[in-house]
Amino acid sequence: MKKNHYVKMGKVTQVIGLIIQVEGLQSFIGEVCEIIIKSSDKSVLSEVVGFKDDLILLMPLDDLQGIGPGCLVRPTGKSLKIRISPNLLGCTLDGLGRPIDKSMDIDGQLYDVDRTPPNPFERRKIEEVMSTGVKAVDGILTCGEGQRIGIFAGSGVGKSTLLGMIARYCDADVNVIALIGERGREVLEFIEKDLGPDGYKKSVVVCATSDQPPLVRLKGAFVATAIAEYFRDQGKKVMLMMDSVTRFAMAQREIGLATGEPPTTKGYTPSVFAMLPKLLERSGMSSTGSITAFYTVLVEGDDMNEPIADSVRGILDGHIVLSRAIAAKNHFPAIDIQNSISRIMKEIVDEDHYKYAGQLKENLAVYGESEDLINVGAYIPGSNLKIDKAIELNGPINDFLRQNVNDKSSYEETVDMLKELME
């Protein structure tokens, strides 16, 4: 004889801003609940984000429209899970891991969105170079397979274009691209223009645009990371790109403020700084595969020391700084070589390569210090050999660091060009 399973439902008592208060429900943090709208058969997905006395605090994963006092709330007994399978390649998903093309059948296994980072003792060492196809990165800021790098820039300096180049030209088996809190028009533009058909074929794009509820933007970052982990566990070389971590932090700030957390540094709540390592530490090397990750950080007012930039820089294994002044000279990619670093480069490249990269940086520094004198004609050639060499090499160095969006340069070609230039 079949047993009847009764589900104890709760009832909406209050909606203030983004928070829905529910009474009569037994639940746990992170549980997904369905709010049944009286006037239609529709239900709104929401997640438990806190408790207040006997009340449960929910936040919507869908639109709040139609929710009123007395709406019934059904607990699902599960946290957010998504279906993942190799069929996802060449597809775009929303922030909750649902295909935007509704007719598509994923036919895969259910995966938890929130997972723990790999055990530090099970992480393999980073020993192989991950070629990105971008000369300035491969030559001077060489990235290793399983490394996590931040791309720091103000708005409109070319972060998305640089990400598109890396996605197209890198040596990875699979790209997972998370567009978090970006403008809606940029999604299709990024897929068609920056990624191109070849890049899209081996990519999974997760987009949670800026008009989505903050919880969806937050989940979008975790969904993309879970998809990258799925392919990594199959032993693949995965490239994870997130644009941008700043919007992820802003979404967590909105959630924190709505649940009553105190704002601390520049209005960011303490949970933001607790959430960042939980997200960023999940990428990297594991015992089976690797996730090489590029995270963009939008620095407000070009201030590289603002709280999110500072916190992210401390967690990652290197940072690439894009400069507005260099972009203004029509120099692309606008990488500020002096202020960028790859912490792992020394361990993965040969001695000659490391020496030539250091010499190039020194030349740029010497030229930068004397540039004003040179420009006003106050410098007399021959009075300083280092400055003479810097002037001679400045043009060729800038030519080497410049690269057209459609030009790919293999790692070997880049190293040969650097060697030729510095000798």
Side-chain angles (χ1 to χ4, degrees), residues 126-130 137-144 147 342 344-358 411 415 418:
I126 297 172
E127 292 171 328
E128 297 291 317
V129 169
M130 169 64 85
V137 177
D138 287 351
I140 318 298
L141 307 163
T142 314
C143 169
Q147 188 173 349
S342 166
I344 289 167
M345 179 176 174
K346 193 174 184 178
E347 291 156 38
I348 55 172
V349 300
D350 60 47
E351 274 183 41
D352 281 353
H353 181 176
Y354 191 70
K355 182 182 79 180
Y356 292 133
Y411 178 69
V415 175
L418 176 66

Side-chain angles (χ1 to χ4, degrees), residues 264-276:
T264 49
T265 326
K266 274 205 173 176
Y268 287 102
T269 57
S271 63
V272 173
F273 301 101
M275 195 68 86
L276 283 170

Side-chain angles (χ1 to χ4, degrees), residues 4 10 24 104 112 144 157 251 269 289 372 422:
N4 286 327
M104 195 202 138
D112 260 321
V157 184
T269 57
D372 291 344
M422 298 319 294

Side-chain angles (χ1 to χ4, degrees), residues 24-89:
L25 197 64
Q26 286 186 323
S27 197
F28 57 88
I29 291 277
E31 183 177 5
V32 176
C33 298
E34 292 175 346
I35 302 170
I36 299 153
I37 293 172
K38 293 175 185 173
S39 54
S40 66
D41 303 332
K42 214 178 83 166
S43 64
V44 172
L45 284 181
S46 58
E47 189 180 284
V48 178
V49 291
F51 307 101
K52 189 180 175 185
D53 302 328
D54 293 337
L55 297 171
I56 304 269
L57 306 180
L58 299 179
M59 252 187 155
L61 290 163
D62 284 323
D63 199 16
L64 275 169
Q65 212 75 33
I67 297 174
C71 280
L72 291 175
V73 180
R74 182 194 300 130
T76 62
K78 299 192 293 272
S79 55
L80 186 66
K81 289 183 176 359
I82 54 166
R83 283 202 182 278
I84 312 178
S85 79
N87 297 357
L88 286 178
L89 291 174

Side-chain angles (χ1 to χ4, degrees), residues 190-411:
F190 181 83
I191 291 167
E192 288 178 354
K193 196 179 88 186
D194 295 336
L195 253 187
D198 294 339
Y200 192 40
K201 266 192 297 208
K202 63 169 188 175
S203 302
V204 183
V205 180
V206 177
C207 64
T209 48
S210 52
D211 57 306
Q212 301 277 309
L215 202 53
V216 176
R217 281 178 269 144
L218 193 77
K219 293 294 175 196
F222 289 118
V223 163
T225 309
I227 294 169
E229 286 167 335
Y230 167 82
F231 286 108
R232 178 198 65 194
D233 293 344
Q234 294 181 342
K236 288 188 162 53
K237 283 203 285 189
V238 182
M239 175 68 81
L240 170 66
M241 299 177 174
M242 195 169 292
D243 190 14
S244 68
V245 175
T246 312
R247 308 257 194 241
F248 166 85
M250 286 174 172
Q252 179 56 37
R253 174 170 68 180
E254 281 179 57
I255 293 165
L257 291 172
T259 51
E261 266 192 275
T264 49
T265 326
K266 274 205 173 176
Y268 287 102
T269 57
S271 63
V272 173
F273 301 101
M275 195 68 86
L276 283 170
K278 277 185 184 167
L279 173 73
L280 303 174
E281 282 292 341
R282 281 171 63 179
S283 51
M285 277 293 194
S286 76
S287 53
T288 48
S290 67
I291 301 175
T292 310
F294 280 86
Y295 298 99
T296 71
V297 180
L298 184 68
V299 288
E300 293 173 21
D302 293 345
D303 173 17
M304 293 295 163
N305 298 318
E306 54 112 28
I308 299 303
D310 223 27
S311 184
V312 170
R313 202 167 36 226
I315 298 166
L316 299 178
D317 313 317
H319 49 272
I320 295 171
V321 176
L322 301 187
S323 153
R324 200 176 291 281
I326 294 172
K329 293 175 185 169
N330 194 27
H331 181 121
F332 180 83
I335 298 174
D336 182 350
I337 297 292
Q338 306 298 128
N339 291 314
S340 305
I341 192 168
S342 166
R343 293 183 185 176
I344 289 167
M345 179 176 174
K346 193 174 184 178
E347 291 156 38
I348 55 172
V349 300
D350 60 47
E351 274 183 41
D352 281 353
H353 181 176
Y354 191 70
K355 182 182 79 180
Y356 292 133
Q359 285 175 1
L360 184 142
K361 278 188 162 186
E362 277 173 34
N363 268 289
L364 279 177
V366 169
Y367 187 86
E369 284 164 15
S370 318
E371 193 169 13
D372 291 344
L373 285 176
I374 297 161
N375 288 344
V376 297
Y379 175 71
I380 300 154
S383 52
N384 185 317
L385 290 177
K386 272 190 173 178
I387 297 176
D388 287 347
K389 192 179 178 192
I391 293 169
E392 186 192 331
L393 284 176
N394 190 54
I397 284 174
N398 280 321
D399 289 343
F400 170 76
L401 295 175
R402 271 196 178 98
Q403 190 170 345
N404 196 310
V405 178
N406 299 317
D407 293 343
K408 179 187 177 180
S409 177
S410 74
Y411 178 69

